[in-house]
């Protein structure tokens, strides 16, 4: 099969900022990103939700671009922008016509150099974030399910188990001093990577990066808390009340292997065998054949971009006439079957073709109209975690080499009850009472 | 094309010369069976994206039941004369493809993406679904039972409740008023209804096939002719519905959700279709008002006041009508304050000339983001689809940016006066009545409904 090769140039500035450029001049559009190696997993204790609140503060004013200037300058250059906070990284990105390249780089350098925000900005964004939490979690059926429900049940280390969107009391307690400390600690050039993808000449990109970012002083390498989990030896269960939704729901999460270990590729294909769309074993059995479930999806979230304890999660909304235990029993049958029989050679071939095809779409990835978001994300994670952006061109090899026996072995090793956590979401609304 | 300078800090790097935006050549054909085909190359990845549209959707099936076209699309993929459901899903995976079938108000569609070197088997399956779907009884029953749970579930989502109520208020007896079927309507669907919709809508004379991706257009067109050439079927009869009247007088439509910790505001009024000569003007005016991050509404109620996370306004176009809407999910205690600012910004745009620099910013924004569509196969596909489905001029993509940049400040004021009908704006508020009713009542007479759509007062 044809293999896609992405041309990549990378360099490191004297202050430690890594620069990765992937030129493609087909369209006059450039995607830029700055990734910092800090996410909500390792935010300060007592400050749940802080990494995300901080991400909002990065749009509130920097050394030479006061509040509203940053957004105005990107939009009025014909571009779109956003940022997002993940477990282990936080990103800021823009897609613009390529004639705005120097301007956008200048803006990113300006906010890497110094954040210029005040109490008023912090109050304002604290309010905005609370409405974000309400619209996505507190006022939505199945809000935060299961990404906020599972961690406190599944994990014991605060880093992995706390409320990543933030308790409102913690958000209220966050101060301007916290903002500046967090910035000085983690937002140093030696803890970041700059990405320029699309309509840029490698030389031009490097020169601009050097001109605009070189004088930003590096800082001490940040010290990261240890996210290691104590070994799990028992199945863990929890229950959460569903305030609005009519259907009972459950999520089952199995701890996944560390990224880029020998088991990682097999586990990813096992995940696809179980969760890969309507051909996936779980959807086929629980939704199409047994017809217990109304919605079923899942997988290892951001399989290329996690850097700490992570689960492969199945999310199920099921019909009220089936109990949670009955639904779980059917789920368990699918798991047991793949442990006992593995998958066929034909199925493995299918999974590999689909994996490769999905990988290409991921790289091209429009994400909210942002071309090459996926390529940017992978280049950033491969740089920050592995020091090897070129992995985007070779990472597929490991997945395409997985053997049937390895998938079965992964199923036996990871899909054990004492390696999983289950959360039940129980509706409180009348007329949706779960059958006993 | 010249970019007008915006007022910016002098140390901010200037924009360099723009590279020309070149839209790929489109290859058009009409097969002898009436199927319209549009192909465009895009070599970003060794894949292609496609969509087979049928120019009939839920509105055209409204007499037989709201949501019937959507139900037909859902069951479509569950069996053909040659393949059972499980086979279809495995075959898709075997060729690394994704496929979805769905229906909106005006169109039904099978959309798909796959590897270029396996294009023929994917197109073969699409052709089979379009011609030889058999709607197995058991699959229909399963989908229907699933749909029953889904329609109950959607009534717990504030966003759904808001748009359902607004569409009812704005479109009245017109088919566009119906967003989704009721439980009773889903229960009454029969397999025969689906077969009838399928026979009528899914014909080559009613269809448009769009393909964008890493292929050579000549050989792709040959493949399309071979695969789809033998399919036959007539254009369905078009029924027209009486034009809905814009409701007069500002009113509040409150959807009561006990215990809601936030209020979903959605306000709207009639607007225009994409074919209307004012479309570009209204797009620009909307962008200045609340269509972009850097817009007046977002800067006011988010960045200045912190009432909401994601306020936005948009112009929503169907084939026959359109509407303008403003949405914001706000803290319960600032419903009145938010509505005050929403109307303040509407009326300000209707009353006062906008500064040249603000206009230039919005023009650059709209013309810039328009060209981002060039960079992905899917982005390009959706732009080509808008042009073809709305029968816009063939040079629409090539001339859009110049049209945006030709607009003047007076165009914006005129357009706001014409379409931002603040006196007759219909306001939907989804939230807990006890917390928001007195605030909402400041903006017009209040009618209250429950989440099931029953009138409470």
């Amino acid at each position: 099969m044809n293999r896609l090769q992405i041309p990549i140039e990378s360099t490191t500035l004297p202050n430690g900022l890594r620069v990765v450029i992937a030129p493609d001049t087909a369209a006059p559009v450039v995607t830029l990103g700055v990734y910092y190696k800090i996410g909500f997993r390792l935010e300060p204790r007592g400050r749940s939700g802080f990494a995300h609140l901080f991400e909002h503060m990065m749009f509130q004013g920097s050394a030479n671009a006061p509040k509203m200037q940053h957004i105005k300058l990107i939009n009025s250059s014909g571009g779109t922008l956003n940022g997002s906070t993940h477990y282990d990284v936080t990103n800021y990105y823009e897609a613009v016509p390529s004639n705005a390249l120097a301007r956008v780089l200048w803006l990113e350098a300006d906010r890497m150099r110094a954040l210029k925000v005040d109490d008023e900005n912090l109050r304002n964004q604290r309010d905005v974030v609370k409405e974000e939490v309400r619209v996505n979690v507190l006022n939505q059926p199945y809000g935060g399910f299961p990404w906020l429900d599972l961690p406190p049940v599944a994990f014991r280390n605060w880093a992995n188990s706390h409320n990543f969107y933030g308790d409102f009391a913690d958000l209220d307690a966050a101060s301007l001093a916290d903002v500046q400390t967090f910035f000085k600690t983690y937002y140093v050039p030696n803890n970041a990577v700059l990405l320029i993808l699309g309509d840029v000449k490698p030389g031009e990109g490097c020169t601009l990066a050097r001109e605009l970012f070189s004088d930003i002083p590096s800082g001490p390498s940040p010290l990261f808390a240890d996210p290691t989990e104590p070994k799990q030896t028992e199945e863990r269960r929890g229950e959460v009340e569903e305030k609005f939704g009519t259907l009972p729901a459950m999520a089952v999460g199995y701890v996944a292997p560390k990224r880029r270990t020998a088991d990682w590729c097999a586990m990813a294909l096992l995940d696809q065998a179980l969760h890969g769309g309507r051909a996936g074993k779980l959807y086929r059995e629980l939704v199409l054949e047994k017809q217990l479930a109304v919605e079923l999806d899942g997988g290892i979230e951001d399989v290329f971009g996690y850097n700490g304890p992570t689960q492969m999660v199945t999310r199920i909304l099921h019909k009220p006439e089936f109990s949670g235990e009955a639904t779980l029993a059917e789920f368990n049958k699918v798991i047991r079957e793949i442990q006992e029989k593995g998958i066929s050679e034909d199925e493995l071939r299918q999974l590999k073709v689909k994996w490769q095809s999905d990988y290409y779409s991921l790289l091209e990835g429009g994400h909210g109209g942002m071309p090459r978001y996926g390529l940017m994300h992978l280049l950033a994670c491969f740089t920050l975690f592995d020091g090897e952006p070129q992995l985007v061109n070779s990472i597929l090899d490991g997945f395409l080499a997985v053997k049937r026996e390895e998938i079965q072995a992964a199923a036996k090793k990871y899909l054990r009850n004492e390696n999983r956590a289950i959360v039940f979401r129980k509706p409180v609304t009348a007329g949706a009472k779960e059958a006993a | 094309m010249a970019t007008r300078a915006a007022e910016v800090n002098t140390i901010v790097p200037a924009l360099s010369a723009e590279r020309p935006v070149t839209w790929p050549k489109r290859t058009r054909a009409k097969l002898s069976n009436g199927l319209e085909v549009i192909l465009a190359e895009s070599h970003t990845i060794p894949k292609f994206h496609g969509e087979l549209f049928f120019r009939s959707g839920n509105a055209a099936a409204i007499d037989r039941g709201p949501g019937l076209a959507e139900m037909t699309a859902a069951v479509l993929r569950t069996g053909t004369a040659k393949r059972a459901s499980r086979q279809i899903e495995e075959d898709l995976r075997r060729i690394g493809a994704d496929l979805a079938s769905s229906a909106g108000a005006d169109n039904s569609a099978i959309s798909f993406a796959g590897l270029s070197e396996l294009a023929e088997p994917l197109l073969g399956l699409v052709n089979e679904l379009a011609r030889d779907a058999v709607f197995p009884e058991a699959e229909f029953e399963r989908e229907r039972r699933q749909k029953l749970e889904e329609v109950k579930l959607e009534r717990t989502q504030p966003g759904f409740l808001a748009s359902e109520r607004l569409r009812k208020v704005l479109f009245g007896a017109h088919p566009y008023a119906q967003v989704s079927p009721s439980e009773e309507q889903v229960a009454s669907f029969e397999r025969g209804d689906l077969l009838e919709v399928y026979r009528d809508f899914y014909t080559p004379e009613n269809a448009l096939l769009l393909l964008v991706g890493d292929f050579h257009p000549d050989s792709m067109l040959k493949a399309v002719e071979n695969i789809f050439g033998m399919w036959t079927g007539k254009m369905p009869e078009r029924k027209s519905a009486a034009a809905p009247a814009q409701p007069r007088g500002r009113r509040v439509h409150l959807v009561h959700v006990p215990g809601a910790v936030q209020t979903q505001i959605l306000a709207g009024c009639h607007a225009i279709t994409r074919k209307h000569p004012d479309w570009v003007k209204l797009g620009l005016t909307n962008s200045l008002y609340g269509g972009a991050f850097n817009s007046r509404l977002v800067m006011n109620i988010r960045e200045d006041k912190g009432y909401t996370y994601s306020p936005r306004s948009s112009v929503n176009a169907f084939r026959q009508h359109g509407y303008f809407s403003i949405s914001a999910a706000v803290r319960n205690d600032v419903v009145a304050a938010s509505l005050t600012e929403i109307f303040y910004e509407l009326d300000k745009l209707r009353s006062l000339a906008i500064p040249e620099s603000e206009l230039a910013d919005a023009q650059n924004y709209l013309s810039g983001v328009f060209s981002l569509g060039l960079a992905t196969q899917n982005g390009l596909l959706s732009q080509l689809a808008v042009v073809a489905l709305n029968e816009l001029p063939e040079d629409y993509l090539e001339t859009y940016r110049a049209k945006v940049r030709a607009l003047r400040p007076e165009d914006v004021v005129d357009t706001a006066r014409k379409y931002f009908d603040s006196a007759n704006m219909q306001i939907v508020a989804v939230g807990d009545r006890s917390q928001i009713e007195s605030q909402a009542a400041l903006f017009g007479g209040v009618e209250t409904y429950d989440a099931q759509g029953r009138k409470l007062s």
Side-chain angles (χ1 to χ4, degrees):
Chain A
M1 196 178 294
N2 290 330
R3 285 293 291 270
L4 186 63
Q5 281 295 314
I6 310 274
I8 297 163
E9 305 267 342
S10 60
T11 183
T12 304
L13 304 187
N15 60 8
L17 178 68
R18 280 146 293 178
V19 181
V20 177
I21 299 172
D24 174 359
T25 55
V29 170
V30 65
T31 301
L32 295 105
V34 178
Y35 273 63
Y36 295 90
K37 192 180 167 186
I38 178 68
F40 41 60
R41 192 195 304 274
L42 300 178
E43 62 197 358
R45 290 193 83 138
R47 289 286 180 274
S48 68
F50 191 79
H52 171 243
L53 176 61
F54 182 86
E55 175 222 311
H56 279 242
M57 297 306 292
M58 284 288 278
F59 295 84
Q60 291 298 302
S62 56
N64 296 289
K67 174 160 172 140
M68 310 220 188
Q69 273 295 305
H70 191 98
I71 296 162
K72 179 182 152 80
L73 282 168
I74 305 283
N75 277 175
S76 67
S77 305
T80 60
L81 71 160
N82 214 334
S84 57
T85 312
H86 303 243
Y87 284 85
D88 301 297
V89 294
T90 305
N91 64 19
Y92 303 87
Y93 51 92
E94 299 84 14
V96 290
S98 46
N99 67 325
L101 175 63
R103 174 176 285 186
V104 178
L105 286 173
W106 180 86
L107 280 163
E108 285 297 357
D110 201 58
R111 64 177 167 181
M112 187 182 290
R113 187 173 294 109
L115 202 53
K116 204 167 162 189
V117 292
D118 58 23
D119 275 314
E120 174 52 34
N121 302 146
L122 179 59
R123 261 197 306 277
N124 167 255
Q125 287 306 305
R126 192 189 283 134
D127 285 346
V128 169
V129 165
K130 285 181 183 175
E131 291 319 302
E132 178 179 349
V133 175
R134 289 194 178 105
V135 79
N136 287 334
V137 182
L138 303 174
N139 205 47
Q140 273 308 320
Y142 311 100
F145 174 73
W147 80 279
L148 295 176
D149 296 339
L150 260 176
V153 176
F155 295 124
R156 295 291 176 264
N157 183 333
W158 185 87
N160 308 309
S161 68
H162 69 278
N163 177 356
F164 306 124
Y165 241 152
D167 300 322
F168 281 13
D170 283 357
L171 295 177
D172 287 337
S175 69
L176 209 53
D178 293 333
V179 171
Q180 291 297 356
T181 304
F182 194 79
F183 181 73
K184 287 202 184 81
T185 309
Y186 299 109
Y187 280 63
V188 288
N190 41 316
N191 196 43
V193 57
L194 166 68
L195 306 119
I196 311 174
L197 325 174
D199 188 20
V200 57
K201 291 186 191 76
E204 179 196 16
C206 283
T207 305
L208 277 170
R210 217 170 281 124
E211 277 172 24
L212 294 163
F213 288 84
S214 283
D215 66 339
I216 302 172
S218 60
S221 292
L223 294 173
F224 294 102
D226 180 3
T228 311
E229 280 290 320
K231 190 168 169 49
Q232 185 179 347
T233 55
E234 77 300 335
E235 182 181 271
R236 293 169 181 171
R237 291 188 177 209
E239 223 180 278
V240 176
E241 195 174 84
E242 171 52 43
K243 205 172 136 198
F244 300 105
T246 49
L247 295 174
M250 77 169 70
V252 187
Y254 293 93
V255 175
K258 275 192 175 165
R259 185 178 160 279
R260 299 205 60 220
T261 55
D263 291 341
W264 178 57
C265 294
M267 187 71 182
L269 289 186
L270 171 63
D271 173 3
Q272 289 306 300
L274 292 168
H275 297 108
R278 292 166 67 104
K281 287 180 188 297
L282 285 168
Y283 191 92
R284 194 166 70 207
E285 279 306 306
L286 274 71
V287 180
L288 299 177
E289 298 290 335
K290 303 284 173 9
Q291 303 180 23
L292 290 85
V294 173
E295 282 181 24
L296 186 150
D297 51 43
I300 303 170
E301 192 193 330
D302 195 5
V303 67
F304 298 102
Y306 64 92
N307 197 35
T310 292
Q311 291 185 311
M312 179 189 80
V313 176
T314 309
R315 177 184 173 280
I316 305 169
L317 268 62
H318 62 91
K319 295 177 183 169
E321 60 264 33
F322 298 101
S323 69
E325 288 304 328
T327 308
L328 184 61
E330 289 300 332
F331 173 90
N332 287 339
K333 269 191 215 165
V334 177
I335 301 298
R336 215 173 305 125
E337 194 188 308
I338 205 165
Q339 287 172 329
E340 285 166 9
K341 298 189 186 146
I343 62 169
S344 70
E345 200 54 58
D346 182 44
E347 197 173 353
L348 181 59
R349 229 180 351 254
Q350 294 174 23
L351 288 169
K352 287 180 181 175
V353 177
K354 188 64 166 57
W355 183 265
Q356 185 167 357
S357 179
D358 287 351
Y359 186 72
Y360 294 156
S361 289
L362 175 68
L363 297 184
E364 191 206 29
H367 171 84
M370 198 77 58
R372 298 190 185 84
Y373 179 90
L375 175 61
M376 170 183 80
H377 186 66
L378 264 55
L379 287 171
C381 292
F382 291 146
T383 304
L384 291 174
F385 304 150
D386 311 284
E388 231 182 308
Q390 297 287 349
L391 280 174
V392 289
N393 286 322
S394 59
I395 201 85
L396 264 181
D397 298 341
F399 297 95
L400 300 183
V402 169
K403 299 189 185 70
R404 282 175 64 198
E405 312 80 77
E406 292 168 330
I407 291 190
Q408 191 172 1
K412 286 182 177 157
K413 184 170 170 189
Y414 293 95
L415 307 187
R416 289 174 296 116
N417 288 2
E418 61 272 25
N419 195 41
R420 76 181 182 182
I422 307 173
V423 168
F424 297 90
R425 267 255 188 161
K426 303 213 161 164
V428 295
T429 49
K433 287 196 193 75
E434 196 175 335
Chain B
M1 206 178 302
T3 304
R4 260 182 267 147
E7 284 169 25
V8 292
N9 193 324
T10 45
I11 62 167
V12 177
L15 299 178
S16 53
E18 247 186 327
R19 259 191 61 193
V21 171
T22 313
W23 296 91
K25 192 169 98 38
R26 277 80 84 187
T27 301
R28 293 162 202 281
K30 192 157 194 166
L31 306 193
S32 56
N33 60 4
L35 175 66
E36 200 184 329
V37 182
I38 302 176
L39 311 175
E41 288 176 73
S42 166
H43 302 285
T44 52
I45 47 173
K47 293 186 69 166
F48 74 109
H49 283 69
E51 200 146 5
L52 179 60
F53 289 101
F54 301 93
R55 293 178 160 97
S56 313
N58 288 303
I62 203 82
D63 297 343
R64 301 178 232 190
L68 200 56
E70 173 60 27
M71 190 72 189
T72 304
V75 185
L76 174 82
R77 73 180 297 161
T78 63
T80 69
K82 290 190 204 128
R83 295 182 238 212
S85 169
R86 181 170 173 163
Q87 185 74 46
I88 291 170
E89 303 305 337
E90 281 189 11
D91 286 348
L92 282 167
R93 190 165 69 180
R94 191 182 306 280
I95 57 175
D98 291 293
L99 181 140
S101 47
S102 64
D106 292 321
N107 301 295
S108 302
I110 303 172
S111 45
F112 47 93
L115 295 160
S116 294
E117 62 195 284
L118 297 170
E120 292 199 17
L122 177 53
L123 292 172
L125 176 58
V126 171
N127 170 60
E128 223 176 288
L129 293 173
R131 284 170 71 177
D132 294 323
V134 294
F135 297 84
E137 183 71 45
E139 298 286 350
F140 163 69
E141 269 307 318
R142 182 187 54 70
E143 281 290 345
R144 195 162 63 100
R145 283 199 297 271
Q146 183 154 337
K147 188 77 191 168
L148 270 175
E149 298 298 343
E150 287 168 9
V151 298
K152 277 186 237 178
L153 204 54
E154 64 193 9
R155 308 210 147 275
T156 66
Q157 295 158 354
F160 171 83
L161 292 172
S163 64
E164 182 198 44
R165 180 52 47 194
L166 185 66
R167 289 269 287 271
K168 275 196 164 63
V169 169
L170 291 181
F171 292 105
H174 192 277
Y176 292 154
Q178 303 288 339
V179 170
S180 192
S182 67
E183 285 176 50
E184 294 72 31
Q185 283 163 333
V186 173
S188 73
F189 285 164
E190 288 178 16
R191 177 174 170 266
D193 300 329
L194 274 64
L195 285 170
E196 215 173 295
V197 168
Y198 182 60
R199 266 197 305 269
D200 287 358
F201 292 3
Y202 290 69
T203 70
E205 287 191 0
N206 197 30
L208 163 70
L209 178 66
L210 261 173
L211 299 173
V212 172
D214 187 24
F215 52 69
H216 193 282
D218 294 344
S219 49
M220 183 56 100
L221 186 58
K222 276 202 194 82
V224 166
E225 280 165 352
N226 285 336
I227 292 168
F228 291 90
M230 303 300 289
W231 178 26
T232 57
K234 296 278 166 227
M235 179 74 81
E237 216 180 295
R238 292 241 180 272
K239 281 168 254 169
S240 59
Q246 162 74 35
R248 307 306 299 173
R250 200 152 81 188
R251 293 195 65 78
V252 178
H253 312 267
L254 197 160
V255 182
H256 176 46
V257 177
V261 295
Q262 189 180 48
T263 300
Q264 175 66 55
I265 293 172
L266 181 66
C269 60
H270 281 195
I272 51 177
T273 66
R274 285 198 178 254
K275 280 175 88 93
H276 194 286
D278 288 342
W279 177 262
V280 174
K281 281 187 212 165
L282 183 54
L284 179 72
T285 309
N286 173 61
S287 167
L288 282 155
Y289 174 74
F293 202 158
N294 181 44
S295 62
R296 291 180 173 191
L297 183 71
V298 179
M299 287 300 144
N300 181 338
I301 65 176
R302 173 181 155 128
E303 290 299 297
D304 184 36
K305 310 224 167 50
Y307 293 160
T308 175
Y309 168 60
S310 49
R312 274 295 186 279
S313 68
S314 53
V315 193
N316 316 283
F318 298 116
R319 191 181 296 135
Q320 293 172 324
H321 302 283
Y323 66 102
F324 167 70
S325 65
I326 306 153
S327 100
V330 307
R331 214 160 68 223
N332 284 338
D333 61 351
V334 295
V335 170
S338 301
L339 285 168
T340 300
E341 300 303 331
I342 286 170
F343 282 103
Y344 165 77
E345 295 293 356
L346 279 179
D347 290 335
K348 190 173 163 196
L349 213 46
R350 288 164 55 90
S351 318
L352 306 177
I354 58 157
E356 287 270 2
S357 65
E358 193 182 349
L359 174 66
D361 283 355
Q363 287 169 316
N364 289 343
Y365 172 69
L366 273 194
S367 62
V369 294
F370 192 72
S371 62
L372 298 183
L374 264 175
T376 59
Q377 294 179 358
N378 219 16
L380 185 55
L381 177 72
S382 52
Q383 274 166 313
L384 293 176
V386 163
V387 175
L389 291 172
N390 292 287
E391 293 161 343
L392 302 177
E394 294 208 358
D395 64 352
Y396 183 83
L397 298 178
E398 282 78 6
T399 57
Y400 173 85
R401 288 154 35 99
K403 283 183 190 144
V404 168
R405 285 182 168 161
L407 297 176
R408 305 296 312 135
E410 49 279 20
D411 292 317
V412 172
V413 178
D414 290 347
T415 306
R417 283 183 192 156
K418 204 162 160 189
Y419 297 108
F420 290 180
D421 190 1
S422 55
N424 296 302
M425 194 72 66
Q426 302 303 306
I427 304 165
V428 176
V430 180
D432 190 320
R433 163 186 204 171
S434 66
Q435 299 203 42
I436 61 172
E437 189 166 18
S438 59
Q439 298 182 67
L442 301 169
F443 296 85
V446 181
E447 284 173 25
T448 307
Y449 301 84
D450 67 11
Q452 305 309 314
R454 290 178 295 236
K455 207 165 171 184
L456 297 178
S457 63

